[in-house]
């Protein structure tokens, strides 16, 4: 079945040092004045010039250094007068800092949908596993999150293949057959990626960090 483009962000596929249900999550902070919405599965980055753990949503950049993948938050809601646990940060309504949950284990793996024809054609993807671009660097596009479900709309963009790109392709996903994203012979296949350029794993001459 031909794949259709329906990005869902970066979903935890396999833990590194951690396991379910937290997968070695870390807590970070979002400033209450940060008006940028952040969705479940969005790549996040350290706030420029901040060494105090504040993050914001990542933007497309071939050499972005990630803080990890956002998986929810809690904050004191101004409108509801109570603590709210949410799959996404809406960009307002917090009294004080937002506590963000981020998967930043350098050995974590994530399931993500790829971009379209540029990825497929440029890399001669086929059902022959020997031809898959395992080990290729890749960046991302942030897409559009869903405010009803809190789910990210981010996806992998394999046209950004610089050594310092934030992700590296680990494998393809073929199962279950017939599910969207599992046909690598058409555009928009799902892949498994790992961190390549992240706060605990940097890439210069080659990947470093816990392995």
């Amino acid at each position: 079945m031909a794949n259709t483009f329906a990005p869902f962000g970066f979903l935890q596929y396999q833990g590194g040092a951690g396991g379910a249900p937290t997968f070695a999550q870390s807590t970070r902070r979002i400033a209450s004045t940060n008006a940028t919405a952040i969705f479940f599965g969005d790549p996040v980055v350290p706030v420029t010039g901040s060494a105090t753990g504040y993050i914001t949503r990542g933007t497309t950049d071939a050499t972005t250094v990630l803080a990890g993948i956002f998986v929810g938050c809690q904050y004191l809601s101004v409108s509801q007068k109570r603590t709210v646990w949410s799959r996404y940060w809406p960009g307002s309504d917090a009294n004080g800092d937002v506590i963000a949950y981020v998967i930043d284990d350098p050995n974590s793996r994530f399931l993500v949908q790829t971009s379209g024809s540029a990825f497929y054609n440029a890399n001669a993807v086929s059902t022959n596993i020997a031809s898959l671009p395992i080990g290729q660097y890749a960046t991302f596009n942030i897409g559009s999150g869903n405010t009803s479900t809190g789910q990210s709309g981010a996806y992998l963009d394999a046209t950004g293949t610089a050594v310092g790109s934030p992700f590296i392709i680990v494998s393809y996903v073929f199962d279950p057959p017939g599910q969207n994203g599992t046909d690598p012979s058409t555009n928009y296949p799902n892949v498994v990626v790992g961190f390549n350029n992240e706060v605990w794993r940097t890439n210069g001459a080659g990947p470093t960090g816990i392995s």
Side-chain angles (χ1 to χ4, degrees), residues 86-100:
S86 177
R87 284 171 56 86
Y88 83 110
W89 162 239
S92 63
D93 193 38
N95 182 355
D97 286 346
V98 178
I99 298 174

Side-chain angles (χ1 to χ4, degrees), residues 40-117:
F40 188 102
D42 272 351
V44 289
V45 297
V47 171
T48 302
S50 172
T52 55
Y54 284 87
I55 60 167
T56 190
R57 189 180 69 182
T59 57
T60 300
D61 186 331
T63 56
T64 295
V65 179
L66 298 178
I69 301 298
F70 179 85
V71 288
C73 63
Q74 71 173 80
Y75 56 92
L76 180 59
S77 167
V78 174
S79 62
Q80 299 183 51
K81 305 294 190 296
R82 64 181 180 88
T83 298
V84 170
W85 283 264
S86 177
R87 284 171 56 86
Y88 83 110
W89 162 239
S92 63
D93 193 38
N95 182 355
D97 286 346
V98 178
I99 298 174
Y101 302 105
V102 175
I103 297 174
D104 61 0
D105 186 323
N107 293 315
S108 291
R109 300 289 183 262
F110 301 93
L111 179 69
V112 62
Q113 189 168 38
T114 69
S115 55
S117 58

Side-chain angles (χ1 to χ4, degrees), residues 80-174:
Q80 299 183 51
K81 305 294 190 296
R82 64 181 180 88
T83 298
V84 170
W85 283 264
S86 177
R87 284 171 56 86
Y88 83 110
W89 162 239
S92 63
D93 193 38
N95 182 355
D97 286 346
V98 178
I99 298 174
Y101 302 105
V102 175
I103 297 174
D104 61 0
D105 186 323
N107 293 315
S108 291
R109 300 289 183 262
F110 301 93
L111 179 69
V112 62
Q113 189 168 38
T114 69
S115 55
S117 58
F119 180 94
Y120 176 77
N121 293 331
N123 296 287
V125 177
S126 74
T127 54
N128 177 3
I129 197 165
S131 71
L132 301 181
I134 304 303
Q136 177 178 302
Y137 304 123
T139 186
F140 64 91
N141 281 311
I142 203 65
S144 299
N146 187 320
T147 56
S148 296
T149 64
Q151 194 67 41
S152 168
Y155 55 94
L156 197 73
D157 181 359
T159 62
T161 58
V163 170
S165 295
F167 295 102
I168 188 168
I169 297 174
V170 176
S171 66
Y172 270 72
V173 177
F174 299 99

Side-chain angles (χ1 to χ4, degrees), residues 16-54:
T22 63
F23 294 105
Q25 288 178 15
S26 294
T27 56
R28 297 287 185 266
R29 291 185 178 272
I30 302 169
S32 61
T33 54
N34 186 339
T36 301
I38 309 174
F39 294 86
F40 188 102
D42 272 351
V44 289
V45 297
V47 171
T48 302
S50 172
T52 55
Y54 284 87

Side-chain angles (χ1 to χ4, degrees), residues 172-198:
Y172 270 72
V173 177
F174 299 99
D175 298 311
Q179 180 172 303
N180 187 40
T182 62
D183 180 1
S185 67
T186 67
N187 296 337
Y188 315 120
N190 292 342
V191 295
V192 177
V193 299
F195 289 128
N196 179 64
N197 196 2
E198 184 246 2

